[in-house]
Structure formats: C-alpha cells, structure tokens
Amino acid sequence: MNRILFEPEEIAPDGTVTLTDVRAAHIREVLGASAGQVIRTGTVNGLAGTSCVLEAGEQRVRLRADHRQSLPEPWVDLLLAAPRPKVLKRLWPQFAALGVGRIVVLNAFKVEKCYFSSQWLEPRHYRPLLVEGLMQAGLTRLPEVLVRPRFKPFVEDELDARFPGGLRLLAHPGARTPAWRPADRRARPLLAVGPEGGWTEYELRMLEARGFAPFSLGERVLRTDTACVALVSVVGYLMEG
C-alpha cells in the first residue's frame, strides 16, 4: 500500500480515523509507524494528503487526516468483453492502479454466458479489489463499473450516450494501427478489448461503424489479462507523446 485510503464515513467529524483491519496491520508492521509519524493517506473518491499517527497499538491504529490535495483524474475508459472470472479477479486491482475511469464489462459472441453469474461482477466482491489497486498506485478515484450482458443493445443504444465523442480504439490482433494524431492526445480514449478468441467480424463491423479505429500490438494473440495491461500501457505512452 503506497497510500492508505479511508472511506468517507470512516473519518470522524474531528478528522480522526480508527482502523482495526489489514490497513492497521500494514501501518504497524510494514510501515513501522508509531505515534507522531506522518503517512500518505487519502479518501476514496476524494482528496489526498497525509495523516498523523495518534496511536499505533496492537488492537487499533488512530490517525488524524489532513486531505487537501487533488490527484489526477482517470485518463482512459475500457470496453471489455467479459473474461474468465479468475482473470477478471486479477484484473480489477490493475485497472484501478493504471488509471481506468469507467469499465464496461460486455458480452460478446465468444464469451461464455456463465461468466455473467460470477461473483467477481458483484460490487461487494470487486470493490475491495479496486480500492486495493488505488492504494498501490497512490490514487483515490474509484473506477465506475457497468455490466452489460447484451452486446448489440449496448452498442446501439448506450455507447454514444455514455461515451460521447473522444478517441475510440478497437484492440484486435494483427490490426493495422492508425497514425497517432496530436489531437488524439487531448481526448480521453475508450479502448475496446475483446475476448481471448477475438471479436467476430460482426462485432468488429458494429464497433468500427461507431468510430472505433483498429489498434494492435502485433500478430500475437494474448491472454486477456496480459492484453489489457499491455494495451493500456501502450496507449498511455502514446498519449504522453
């Protein structure tokens, strides 16, 4: 944890926070913090800053928070064909750490229907993993997650309303990546990543008709977790110029 995060309701009116969970253990055992020391903290979906340790006992850690700093907003959105549940579980912290702002978990022809009954699509299971990723990266802004088990209705009826304008990239193995224009670096990109079996021709046509430009890392067919991290990293590098 490179920044301990508090839920807004955990901060008392006097600015103090009392922790008794794994965060308290991390402060005591990993950071080795004692009374009087200052550590990096933040509020989920809020400001960041520091906290002074008031007490670091075996049963609890008490701190006084001082959060005044605004951190960078998420810079990329993701349209993701639902991966296998165990892969999705691994990806949640990575998405938050990499700065993904909105994640639409979408159906596709080559996605197994049973994936949508996974516990890792339930907020009570994936939210702690997103917070874990934020604490690793030192961020505070929690990604917004949408689950859409029907491809065509989402693309036809919701896509443009939820993601108006901006750069749209369609990840597909072997696609010819278009030339990167300076104007693209000013728009928050939406990256569409398909299932491990790839998008179908119909799905590719549907997305390209709505302004998605083919984007590729080459001919290699990658696993979803490898592809997501690599694609977001490469797009981030290109956005930086």
Side-chain angles (χ1 to χ4, degrees), residues 34-227:
S34 57
Q37 288 187 256
V38 174
I39 62 173
R40 299 173 74 221
T41 57
T43 306
V44 174
N45 286 331
L47 300 176
T50 60
S51 290
C52 179
V53 178
L54 302 177
E55 174 189 345
E58 293 184 3
Q59 302 299 320
R60 67 177 188 174
V61 171
R62 290 182 64 245
L63 311 101
R64 185 178 304 279
D66 183 14
H67 297 164
R68 308 180 191 184
Q69 178 187 3
S70 296
L71 297 182
E73 291 292 315
W75 64 273
V76 64
D77 297 319
L78 192 63
L79 187 63
L80 176 67
R84 289 172 292 152
K86 65 179 182 181
V87 172
L88 185 59
K89 178 186 177 183
R90 291 198 299 266
L91 278 170
W92 285 129
Q94 304 302 325
F95 290 151
L98 288 167
V100 179
R102 285 183 290 175
I103 305 161
V104 181
V105 181
L106 186 64
N107 201 0
F109 181 77
K110 296 178 183 178
V111 168
E112 298 286 344
K113 289 183 174 59
C114 63
Y115 291 177
F116 284 91
S117 62
S118 166
Q119 66 176 350
W120 302 113
L121 285 174
E122 298 174 11
R124 65 190 179 97
H125 289 293
Y126 67 68
R127 193 179 188 277
L129 298 176
L130 293 175
V131 174
E132 175 189 325
L134 292 178
M135 290 195 290
Q136 172 62 37
L139 303 172
T140 62
R141 187 65 58 187
L142 202 66
E144 176 188 358
V145 178
L146 302 173
V147 179
R148 293 295 183 266
R150 299 177 65 196
F151 177 86
K152 184 177 179 182
F154 174 79
V155 173
E156 291 184 337
D157 303 331
E158 283 192 71
L159 176 64
D160 289 338
R162 291 192 176 274
F163 301 94
L167 177 64
R168 295 178 175 181
L169 297 171
L170 177 57
H172 193 67
R176 183 178 179 183
T177 301
W180 207 267
R181 301 166 299 174
D184 293 336
R185 299 187 180 96
R186 298 194 297 270
R188 180 159 152 172
L190 172 61
L191 176 64
V193 181
E196 291 185 1
W199 300 106
T200 64
E201 289 299 322
Y202 170 77
E203 291 162 349
L204 289 170
R205 289 197 302 272
M206 285 275 289
L207 293 170
E208 287 176 351
R210 281 154 183 83
F212 280 85
F215 185 76
S216 174
L217 298 176
E219 297 291 337
R220 296 179 180 86
V221 178
L222 305 175
R223 291 175 53 159
T224 301
D225 46 356
T226 304

